[in-house]
Amino acid sequence: MNDQVIATYWIETAFTLDKASEIIVSEQSTGTFMPLANETESLKERHRARILSIQPLESSPFPALPGAKVPVGSKGLYHRGIVKIAFPYDNIGPSIPNLLATVAGNLYELEELSGIRLIDLELPSSFRDRYEGPRFGIAGTRELTGVYGRPVIGTIIKPNIGLPTEQLREIVRELALSGIDFIKDDEVHGNPTYAPLSERVKAAMEEIERAADRTGKKTMYAFNITDDIDQMLRHLETVVQYGGNCVMVSINSVGFAGVAHLRKHAPVCIHGHRNQWGMMSRYPYLGMSFSAYQKLCRLSGVDHLHVNGLNNKFYEDNASVIQGVQQCLTPMFEANDTALPVLSSKQWAGSAPETYREMKTVDLINIAGGGIHGHPGGFGAGFRSFVQGWEATLAGIPLEEYGRTHSELKQALDTLG
């Protein structure tokens, strides 16, 4: 384990699983399409990848992807299996970009494969020595927000785009005075000309600091600083200058190397948004599984990572969301390299009982957009209803019963239930 990277794949091929696996090994380590004089036995001994195991699965009469090669004499079956391959660490070094070129590079284009998905990664500890991982993680986020014993509860600024800075200020004021734990920008709200990020940061932090003087609680705001690398770092400086303690970054827009570079400079929490993830994951016979993806995100340095939510508006089913939460909370190298899973999409006070029953943890950031902004009593009442939903759930009290003595929860149940 200390001198190799182990990648696990789901593959489909019209060739035998052994043949297809050997082609992956050759293409992604020492070989090419024909033998070469310099590919000596001693070189292959040091640098060639190795097949660790092949687990046959079912076959399909149709290929999952177009453009696949079929061997002469094929009976028209496409064989599926789980293949585990070890790549020599010395071929890669502690580099996520070079790691991806090896375990998720040209093999996706091999004509012998009619389907391939990277489903997991096992990395040597040298990667943890190179990359810093989460700076704050679960414990640090709880300390900054002052929230213990329940999920960190927050919202997204709505409308997600188009608000002038002064209207944003009014929304942040009401939310911060309500004592809300967490606010975030929407991923499509970056640095628009009508409301530049520097103006928004100044306005939002002025309201958060004023509210903290009155309530004793400082709301965490994840400002979306996603941009080209130099500009992203300038946005970070602005957030720090005005006393912010969290920034948000679209991981797939800036890449893992961009996140890792941000981590080196950021004295604040990094809220990792996975937008564009569907391009990598939605088709089950191509791309990457969340198990591998979340490890790279955490290694790069995110403290929080989006995992969707139960009964969400997207394609992902509940089982996948639950598994994503469990994976984020499972240490890779040491206990503090976990990240807070972020639940969003169709979340509201009524989501709490099922979420706790299925997740079996309160180490979550639970975010609601419409579920807070759509409350008839206003944003603050929406937040309080969400807290009350979790209070009832953790006390084992049915929401309807708790709602009889907690008006914000009752209003939420009557309006949104």
Side-chain angles (χ1 to χ4, degrees), residues 27-70:
E27 176 68 26
Q28 297 306 117
S29 57
T30 66
T32 184
F33 70 96
M34 61 182 294
L36 298 176
N38 287 335
E39 190 186 3
T40 63
E41 289 304 315
S42 61
L43 183 144
K44 286 191 288 187
E45 178 67 24
R46 293 194 308 273
H47 297 289
R48 188 175 176 83
R50 295 183 299 111
I51 301 168
L52 297 182
S53 64
I54 298 175
Q55 176 190 346
L57 301 173
E58 78 285 355
S59 295
S60 170
F62 305 104
L65 297 172
K69 184 177 180 180
V70 178

Side-chain angles (χ1 to χ4, degrees), residues 121-346:
L121 281 172
E122 299 172 55
L123 302 174
S125 58
S126 51
F127 274 84
R128 182 64 180 89
D129 296 337
R130 166 75 178 275
Y131 292 93
E132 296 172 291
R135 183 188 295 274
F136 293 90
I138 297 169
T141 301
R142 289 201 177 280
E143 183 176 355
L144 287 170
T145 59
V147 176
Y148 299 93
R150 64 164 172 82
V152 174
I153 295 173
T155 191
I156 309 149
I157 293 294
K158 296 290 183 181
N160 55 354
I161 199 163
L163 284 174
T165 300
E166 286 309 306
Q167 288 186 24
L168 171 75
R169 178 190 289 275
E170 293 170 5
I171 293 172
V172 173
R173 180 186 304 141
E174 182 174 347
L175 287 168
L177 285 172
S178 76
I180 198 167
D181 306 330
F182 181 88
I183 306 171
K184 67 175 282 293
D185 286 333
D186 192 87
E187 68 273 12
V188 301
H189 200 188
N191 187 29
T193 55
Y194 68 87
L197 180 64
S198 57
E199 291 182 6
R200 300 201 326 272
V201 171
K202 180 176 184 295
M205 289 310 304
E206 285 175 353
E207 297 302 328
I208 286 171
E209 296 290 3
R210 288 193 189 106
D213 289 341
R214 291 178 57 180
T215 67
K217 177 177 178 177
K218 181 174 178 176
T219 297
M220 176 178 281
Y221 193 126
F223 295 98
N224 182 16
I225 65 169
T226 304
D227 212 321
D228 295 320
I229 299 298
D230 290 346
Q231 190 64 33
M232 181 171 68
L233 294 182
R234 284 192 284 271
H235 296 329
L236 169 66
E237 291 174 0
T238 299
V239 173
V240 173
Q241 174 189 346
Y242 286 104
N245 56 19
C246 189
V247 294
M248 186 180 94
V249 64
S250 294
I251 298 163
N252 300 318
S253 294
V254 304
F256 296 118
V259 175
H261 190 68
L262 173 63
R263 167 65 175 83
K264 289 184 180 297
H265 294 82
V268 299
C269 280
I270 298 176
H271 186 85
H273 201 295
R274 67 177 191 177
N275 58 81
Q276 306 163 57
W277 166 241
M279 290 193 300
M280 305 162 64
S281 65
R282 186 167 186 175
Y283 189 58
Y285 308 131
L286 185 68
M288 183 185 298
S289 292
F290 191 69
S291 179
Y293 177 79
Q294 57 87 26
K295 289 179 180 178
L296 298 175
C297 294
R298 289 158 56 191
L299 195 61
S300 299
V302 303
D303 298 288
H304 317 148
L305 183 59
H306 279 244
V307 297
N308 219 330
L310 296 184
N311 309 312
N312 60 79
K313 65 183 179 183
F314 301 113
Y315 75 93
E316 191 170 9
D317 62 28
N318 285 353
S320 177
V321 176
I322 294 164
Q323 185 179 52
V325 168
Q326 294 168 343
Q327 289 166 344
C328 286
L329 296 176
T330 301
M332 289 187 294
F333 301 106
E334 50 197 42
N336 65 354
D337 64 13
T338 55
L340 260 176
V342 181
L343 303 180
S344 61
S345 179
K346 295 180 71 174

